[in-house]
Amino acid sequence: MGILDLMLGRTAPGEQGIEEKSYTLPKSTHDFVYPVAVRRGELEALDRLLEAEAEESYLDGGDDLQNVLDSVFEEHDLDAEELVDRNRQPRVETEAIVETWREQVADDLGVVYALPGAHSSLLSFVTICRRRDADADDPFELPESFPDAAALLTRLAEATEDQYRAVVHTDLLPDDPR
């Protein structure tokens, strides 16, 4: 057994017509990711979107909300705190993703490791923000930098729809915020 075998894992005959050997990496220490090019400005645009949404939060918990829910939905037992937490979840997930990516992008342009599900988390948050912006009764407005955040979301969609994934050691990945 050579040093590469010790470092990378077990070897086996190549698959899918490849004559070379393949390495089997332990699933406990490696995961599949999508490498995505990211501009620092796009991350800053997501930060501004997160801040704007948090400042104009449309659902806050408390007795007032619980009283309204109880009076409107008398037959159903709805918990105001649970509702608030569920509506806050897309922002919490997006904050965790952006924080991790900010650490990975040292210059104006860098590459981040997008875990499966990152696109759907960001898309969920951005969709909520777009709906709120379109609602005339909601004081929330998309920041001027929103097109930069949307550009990143488009690139992320393209990367995650592709068949190409990379394998990286889990030490390089964030904890799953969900």
Side-chain angles (χ1 to χ4, degrees):
M1 179 176 284
I3 188 74
L4 273 179
D5 294 336
L6 290 172
M7 290 172 50
L8 298 177
R10 299 185 323 265
T11 62
E15 297 177 11
Q16 300 174 0
I18 300 172
E19 293 184 20
E20 300 297 319
K21 293 187 175 189
S22 302
Y23 288 92
T24 304
L25 302 172
K27 290 181 180 179
S28 62
T29 58
H30 293 79
D31 205 350
F32 287 103
V33 296
Y34 299 95
V36 181
V38 174
R39 290 178 178 81
R40 179 160 293 285
E42 294 167 336
L43 294 176
E44 291 168 357
L46 276 172
D47 274 334
R48 284 191 284 283
L49 185 60
L50 286 162
E51 290 169 7
E53 203 278 334
E55 286 175 10
E56 292 292 341
S57 184
Y58 64 102
L59 264 186
D60 292 322
D63 292 336
D64 291 340
L65 178 59
Q66 188 63 56
N67 291 337
V68 169
L69 290 175
D70 291 343
S71 66
V72 174
F73 300 103
E74 293 173 6
E75 295 94 32
H76 304 288
D77 186 24
L78 296 175
D79 182 11
E81 276 307 309
E82 184 179 318
L83 180 63
V84 169
D85 287 344
R86 190 171 7 159
N87 283 310
R88 202 177 286 145
Q89 191 63 28
R91 180 174 7 120
V92 169
E93 290 176 7
T94 300
E95 286 171 341
I97 291 168
V98 171
E99 181 179 333
T100 300
W101 288 358
R102 212 178 307 113
E103 294 169 4
Q104 294 175 354
V105 178
D107 298 320
D108 288 338
L109 181 65
V111 175
V112 298
Y113 299 132
L115 291 168
H119 176 256
S120 60
S121 293
L122 292 177
L123 180 61
S124 175
F125 176 71
V126 168
T127 300
I128 289 169
C129 291
R130 282 183 173 161
R131 281 188 198 140
R132 291 191 61 200
D133 184 61
D135 184 355
D137 295 330
D138 191 332
F140 174 81
E141 291 182 16
L142 292 173
E144 289 181 24
S145 61
F146 180 75
D148 291 334
L152 173 57
L153 191 62
T154 300
R155 194 173 323 103
L156 183 60
E158 292 168 357
T160 56
E161 289 172 2
D162 192 0
Q163 293 296 319
Y164 174 73
R165 294 186 297 173
V167 178
V168 296
H169 197 281
T170 52
D171 287 350
L172 300 173
L173 302 176
D175 293 331
D176 193 355
R178 284 168 268 175

